[in-house]
Amino acid sequence: MTATATIRTDRLTLRPLALTDLPLFIEMDTDPDVMRYIRDVMTKEQVTERFDDILSNVDDLFIGFWVIQPQASDTPDGWVMLKHLPTDAPNGTKVQQVNGGDIEVGYRLRQMSWGNGYATEAGKAALHEAFETLGLEKVIAVTDFDNMRSRNVLAKLGLNNTGPRKAYGQEVLGYEIVKSDWDTRRSKP
């Protein structure tokens, strides 16, 4: 179950990851403001290694992974994804789920693209893919307690705050939306 088709929204093209997207990853993952609530800033070499791993294994690691590109631009601005949320083993290590478990929606934008509604628009498209194309019954998200921008995006997407939970080796704030809530939100004008 993988979603790889290009998706168009009113303002964005969500397209599959390509080798030419490495500069976007370097820009985002070396920016302390972008990475503030995610993890430590990476070096260019670390980002390149991680990018190569993602590009080589995108179909195994993700249910859907799209690069966010405004239709009025040739420059990508971030990414949005659907994947199995890794679980934390009792010893604190992360265990990547391949099948089963919660499906997470996530996104990242380069700093100069913040505040344009791109995360919300791309997230809505990913949720549409999750519920309407893939037939999922529930999608979750996690964010840092202090990441108000992400919390606002998740609220706009209709995800409900489910309280603290453990993910990615730390205590985070959990969110979820079920298909019936998605259907109700879509049917409102």
Side-chain angles (χ1 to χ4, degrees):
M1 172 173 62
T2 303
T4 57
T6 297
I7 301 168
R8 297 197 192 290
T9 67
D10 289 342
R11 302 178 300 152
L12 304 173
T13 298
L14 308 181
R15 60 167 176 77
L17 183 64
L19 185 59
T20 55
D21 295 317
L22 176 59
L24 170 68
F25 276 66
I26 291 172
E27 178 182 346
M28 291 190 300
D29 291 2
T30 61
D31 183 329
D33 290 326
V34 171
M35 300 305 290
R36 179 177 178 189
Y37 299 111
I38 302 168
R39 68 171 163 269
D40 291 338
V41 172
M42 299 171 81
T43 66
K44 184 177 178 179
E45 293 76 22
Q46 290 170 319
V47 175
T48 301
E49 185 177 317
R50 184 169 182 274
F51 177 83
D52 289 343
D53 184 51
I54 290 171
L55 188 62
S56 298
N57 299 293
V58 71
D59 290 337
D60 296 328
L61 297 173
F62 300 94
I63 295 168
F65 192 101
W66 302 271
V67 172
I68 301 168
Q69 189 161 326
Q71 292 178 12
S73 171
D74 291 333
T75 305
D77 279 356
W79 53 257
V80 62
M81 61 83 184
L82 295 167
K83 74 173 186 173
H84 292 277
L85 180 71
T87 57
D88 291 329
N91 66 1
T93 60
K94 183 175 74 169
V95 178
Q96 181 67 46
Q97 294 288 326
V98 178
N99 293 302
D102 289 327
I103 304 299
E104 175 189 18
V105 63
Y107 42 81
R108 187 172 308 160
L109 290 171
R110 59 193 191 125
Q111 189 176 167
M112 68 182 307
S113 300
W114 293 356
N116 293 314
Y118 293 162
T120 303
E121 192 170 331
K124 192 177 291 184
L127 289 174
H128 182 274
E129 191 74 10
F131 292 123
E132 305 302 326
T133 304
L134 300 174
L136 300 179
E137 289 299 318
K138 178 177 85 170
V139 176
I140 64 100
V142 295
T143 190
D144 186 279
F145 289 92
D146 296 328
N147 190 344
M148 295 310 296
R149 286 181 182 268
S150 187
R151 290 174 67 174
N152 289 336
V153 168
L154 295 172
K156 288 177 188 175
L157 291 173
L159 279 81
N160 298 305
N161 183 332
T162 57
R165 71 174 288 165
K166 188 95 167 156
Y168 297 103
Q170 59 188 345
E171 194 76 14
V172 293
L173 195 54
Y175 286 80
E176 75 174 29
I177 185 169
V178 294
K179 184 166 185 346
S180 60
D181 290 344
W182 168 258
D183 291 339
T184 300
R185 286 183 64 84
R186 284 195 40 227
S187 66
K188 292 181 180 177

